[in-house]
């Protein structure tokens, strides 16, 4: 059911929802940008609709809400182990179509990958999603070519319409609240992008032969292995485990799951002094092919959602979309057909 709201009406909805939910959305941090006198758009808690940034892309994704940068799994002593408490309140996340598609990828990895990750599931079961409509694409987006520019699996959608807001509701639990706070009832469809300036073309029949191409060597010098592309990506899920000890004997402490990056030094180090993918180009190859080859081979669709954040974040101006567009030539080279 669709509804139209004034600013006061939608704020009333948010106030009521905040009794049971933590509300997360893209917000502006004034002066928090990478350069002097620039702002940063990242996810944070909100109380009013004015805090939500509708007309700019967030530099970071929603991912840190479902997968915290550092998450305590359990505490231990010499004799006891105590599981860390789960979320005390449910959460509502406002996000765009590409990011809601990313949730599907995270679910695939953590819930349908041979086992269910207990800690992810207890968080995921307590989250609802409000789709933010996109009237036009942002810089470096290529969601249309990745097929992630529209989605129907949301609990509600929200769009700005002049000075008002319109919502399409699919959550029965919220129906009475939305109906009572709206100014009119109407048909609502979330806005979505139909074209982007950046275009990508993933070769049909992409095979592992592309890994033999020389294009990956170019990134040995260009990539500085900072890992920024991983941390802003909504579908990168690498993590490591850390035991934090409270006592000198190492028998009291906690175990944490900490976000990691396949692009940084040390990620592939193993016992005995071995290390895989020492060169930055090898790491770039692994990351790119995981996004547009390996994941699809296993689950039937691409891991990348075309949000373009990796291009936005790279300090060396390496373009992931350009890399994708080089794959056809790399495939011919790797398979010996060039």
């Amino acid at each position: 059911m669709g509804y139209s709201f004034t600013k006061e009406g939608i704020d009333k909805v948010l106030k009521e929802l905040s009794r049971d939910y933590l509300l997360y959305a893209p917000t502006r941090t004034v002066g928090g940008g990478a350069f002097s006198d620039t702002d940063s758009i990242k996810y944070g808690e909100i109380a009013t609709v004015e805090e939500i940034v509708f007309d700019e892309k967030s530099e970071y994704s929603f991912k840190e809400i479902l997968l915290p940068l550092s998450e305590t799994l359990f505490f231990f002593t010499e004799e006891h182990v105590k599981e860390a408490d789960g979320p005390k309140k449910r959460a509502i996340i406002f996000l765009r179509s590409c990011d809601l598609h990313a949730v599907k990828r995270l679910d695939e990895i953590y819930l349908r990958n041979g086992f269910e990750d207990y800690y992810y599931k207890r968080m995921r079961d307590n989250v609802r999603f409000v789709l933010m409509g996109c009237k036009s694409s942002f810089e470096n987006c290529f969601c249309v070519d990745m097929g992630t520019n529209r989605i129907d699996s949301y609990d509600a959608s929200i769009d700005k319409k002049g000075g008002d807001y319109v919502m399409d509701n699919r959550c029965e639990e919220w129906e009475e609240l939305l109906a009572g706070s709206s100014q009119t009832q109407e048909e609502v469809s979330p806005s979505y992008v139909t074209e982007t300036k950046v275009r990508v073309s993933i070769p049909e029949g992409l095979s592992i032969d592309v890994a033999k191409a020389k294009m990956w060597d170019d990134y040995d010098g260009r990539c500085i292995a900072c890992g920024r592309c991983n941390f802003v990506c909504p579908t990168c899920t690498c993590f490591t485990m850390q035991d934090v000890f409270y006592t000198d004997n190492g028998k009291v402490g906690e175990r944490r799951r900490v976000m990691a990056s396949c692009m940084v030094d040390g990620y592939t180090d193993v016992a005995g002094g071995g290390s895989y993918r020492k060169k930055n180009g090898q790491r770039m190859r692994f990351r790119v092919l995981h996004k547009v080859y390996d994941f699809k081979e296993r689950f039937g669709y691409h891991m990348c959602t075309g949000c373009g954040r990796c291009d936005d974040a790279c300090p060396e101006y390496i373009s992931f979309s350009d890399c994708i567009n080089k794959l056809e030539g790399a495939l011919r080279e790797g398979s010996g057909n060039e």
Side-chain angles (χ1 to χ4, degrees), residues 32-319:
F35 302 100
S36 177
D37 298 324
T38 61
D39 300 340
S40 175
I41 310 298
K42 59 182 68 175
Y43 271 78
E45 287 190 48
I46 62 158
T48 66
V49 73
E50 283 190 327
E51 297 174 71
I52 304 176
V53 178
F54 284 92
D55 57 354
E56 295 181 54
K57 178 169 59 175
S58 63
E59 296 161 28
Y60 294 85
S61 75
F62 69 93
K63 179 175 66 176
E64 295 172 20
I65 303 166
L66 291 178
L67 297 169
L69 289 172
S70 179
E71 178 182 15
T72 298
L73 305 183
F74 57 83
F75 303 91
F76 57 87
T77 65
E78 295 186 44
E79 298 179 354
H80 302 285
V81 174
K82 179 189 179 298
E83 176 188 316
D85 294 337
K88 292 181 171 56
K89 291 180 75 173
R90 292 181 289 173
I92 295 173
I93 303 176
F94 291 74
L95 74 181
R96 302 187 189 278
S97 177
C98 57
D99 281 346
L100 191 47
H101 273 277
V103 175
K104 179 182 177 182
R105 276 80 172 156
L106 298 183
D107 288 350
E108 205 79 73
I109 294 167
Y110 282 96
L111 301 179
R112 296 186 290 272
N113 195 18
F115 69 99
E116 285 188 349
D117 185 286
Y118 170 78
Y119 296 96
Y120 176 83
K121 188 176 189 303
R122 73 176 183 179
M123 181 72 76
R124 178 70 174 83
D125 287 345
N126 286 286
V127 175
R128 293 191 181 276
F129 299 99
V130 176
L131 175 67
M132 298 170 61
C134 283
K135 292 182 173 62
S136 60
S137 68
F138 300 102
E139 185 178 7
N140 293 321
C141 293
F142 52 97
C143 57
V144 175
D145 287 333
M146 299 307 298
T148 59
N149 55 312
R150 60 187 305 172
I151 193 168
D152 295 323
S153 57
Y154 52 81
D155 294 293
S157 71
I158 185 169
D159 277 270
K160 289 189 73 172
K161 189 176 181 181
D164 295 333
Y165 299 86
V166 292
M167 294 187 69
D168 176 37
N169 180 47
R170 298 185 175 184
C171 178
E172 186 176 342
E173 179 185 340
W174 299 345
E175 189 64 36
E176 184 177 347
L177 171 62
L178 296 180
S181 304
S182 64
Q183 56 182 348
T184 60
Q185 180 177 320
E186 58 185 77
E187 288 295 322
V188 174
S189 296
S191 56
Y192 61 91
V193 174
T194 57
E195 59 181 358
T196 59
K197 291 182 179 179
V198 176
R199 302 295 307 275
V200 298
S201 177
I202 301 173
E204 290 292 333
L206 186 64
S207 74
I208 198 62
D209 287 336
V210 75
K212 304 173 186 176
K214 294 180 180 179
M215 65 170 279
W216 309 112
D217 297 336
D218 296 341
Y219 299 102
D220 287 342
R222 292 190 62 195
C223 176
I224 60 174
C226 66
R228 289 174 68 172
C229 53
N230 294 126
F231 290 113
V232 300
C233 175
T235 64
C236 279
T237 60
C238 294
F239 63 84
T240 186
M241 291 293 187
Q242 294 182 358
D243 285 342
V244 179
F245 301 108
Y246 303 157
T247 58
D248 290 338
N249 65 8
K251 295 183 178 181
V252 180
E254 63 185 75
R255 174 162 293 181
R256 297 175 182 172
R257 174 158 63 186
V258 181
M259 191 177 295
S261 165
C262 63
M263 297 296 292
V264 302
D265 290 337
Y267 179 76
T268 59
D269 290 354
V270 295
S275 181
Y276 302 94
R277 299 192 297 272
K278 291 184 178 181
K279 294 182 178 180
N280 294 347
Q282 294 172 331
R283 299 170 189 174
M284 185 69 175
R285 179 191 65 202
F286 173 80
R287 178 173 174 268
V288 171
L289 294 186
H290 189 42
K291 298 295 183 185
V292 298
Y293 174 70
D294 300 340
F295 188 90
K296 185 179 181 181
E297 286 291 297
R298 185 163 191 170
F299 298 111
Y301 57 93
H302 291 300
M303 191 179 194
C304 175
T305 64
C307 72
R309 289 188 179 96
C310 50
D311 287 18
D312 299 334
C314 182
E316 295 298 307
Y317 303 102
I318 294 173
S319 170

